[in-house]
Amino acid sequence: MDDVEIEDVNDDGSPYHVEKVPVSHPDVTSLALTVGEFLSQYGWYLLAATVVTYLLIQRLSKRRSTQNGSSSLPQAPQDAAFVARRQEAMEAARRKMQEELDAKAAIFRDKQKQQEEEKRRQKIEVWESMQQGKSYKGTAKLSQTTEEASSSSRLKPKTDKKPLRSADYNPLTGQGGGSCSWRPGRRGPSSGG
């Protein structure tokens, strides 16, 4: 079987001759054939493994660079100074907000004192007018108008509500707003059967 020779034939029937290239390095040729055969069988697996390895190396290098950047000694004093400045700024903002709140509270207390003083003064006026024998209604109206002016921020109840039933409705008499009335049933033997 070693002496078998295969000849290719062209379309017109003439023998097809292939020129043989002299092999200068037989070891390289066998290596090329072995590598070619390996790549043809495992090429896709090799390509996938190469891509995964590349991505893994990139990820590890990013992680290492962030760890080195955050744990380096020259940045530690800089971070401490930054943290200190930030805390000072927060304290200043808190102090400012507290001062504003204290000012608003003082204004509110002053208004409360003025209202209490006004109520006390009105009570004294009512008491004096009653001691002198004057009518209480005139001073009551005066106090109501001043009280309404001072308490304009209070919610007023709605007075224009519609009543649920008419005024002449009485459930005991059976008269009034109801459209249905009860009637007793017939007495006596039933004529059904």
Side-chain angles (χ1 to χ4, degrees):
M1 282 220 177
D2 291 337
D3 295 338
V4 175
E5 203 175 293
I6 298 175
E7 284 187 17
D8 285 337
V9 181
N10 287 336
D11 291 339
D12 60 353
S14 62
Y16 178 73
H17 293 285
V18 177
E19 293 182 25
K20 293 186 177 181
V21 177
V23 178
S24 61
H25 299 293
D27 294 334
V28 174
T29 307
S30 66
L31 180 66
L33 289 174
T34 307
V35 170
E37 186 177 320
F38 179 78
L39 287 178
S40 68
Q41 289 180 356
Y42 303 107
W44 288 110
Y45 299 114
L46 186 63
L47 180 65
T50 305
V51 168
V52 168
T53 305
Y54 175 75
L55 292 175
L56 187 63
I57 289 171
Q58 290 294 322
R59 187 171 201 157
L60 289 175
S61 67
K62 283 183 183 178
R63 188 177 288 174
R64 188 175 286 168
S65 67
T66 57
Q67 287 176 353
N68 288 341
S70 64
S71 66
S72 65
L73 294 177
Q75 287 185 353
Q78 200 174 39
D79 288 340
F82 176 72
V83 169
R85 278 182 275 150
R86 186 180 218 179
Q87 287 179 348
E88 289 173 4
M90 287 175 58
E91 285 298 321
R94 285 183 186 140
R95 266 187 258 116
K96 182 180 177 184
M97 290 173 63
Q98 188 64 43
E99 290 171 1
E100 290 175 2
L101 185 64
D102 290 343
K104 288 179 182 179
I107 292 171
F108 180 74
R109 274 183 267 147
D110 290 341
K111 285 183 181 180
Q112 288 289 352
K113 284 181 182 178
Q114 287 175 357
Q115 287 178 355
E116 289 175 7
E117 184 65 30
E118 182 67 27
K119 286 180 183 179
R120 189 178 67 78
R121 187 183 57 78
Q122 287 177 359
K123 285 182 182 180
I124 292 172
E125 287 178 6
V126 168
W127 175 255
E128 289 175 357
S129 66
M130 288 179 68
Q131 291 292 335
Q132 294 174 1
K134 294 181 182 175
S135 85
Y136 175 71
K137 292 181 181 177
T139 57
K141 288 181 184 177
L142 176 66
S143 66
Q144 284 179 356
T145 57
T146 57
E147 189 176 308
E148 287 176 2
S150 66
S151 65
S152 62
S153 63
R154 293 183 191 166
L155 295 176
K156 296 179 182 177
K158 289 185 176 181
T159 57
D160 58 344
K161 285 187 177 178
K162 195 170 150 183
L164 296 175
R165 294 186 179 101
S166 63
D168 62 340
Y169 175 74
N170 187 352
L172 297 176
T173 61
Q175 299 173 359
S179 63
C180 298
S181 63
W182 178 78
R183 293 183 184 154
R186 286 194 314 177
R187 293 187 183 193
S190 63
S191 60

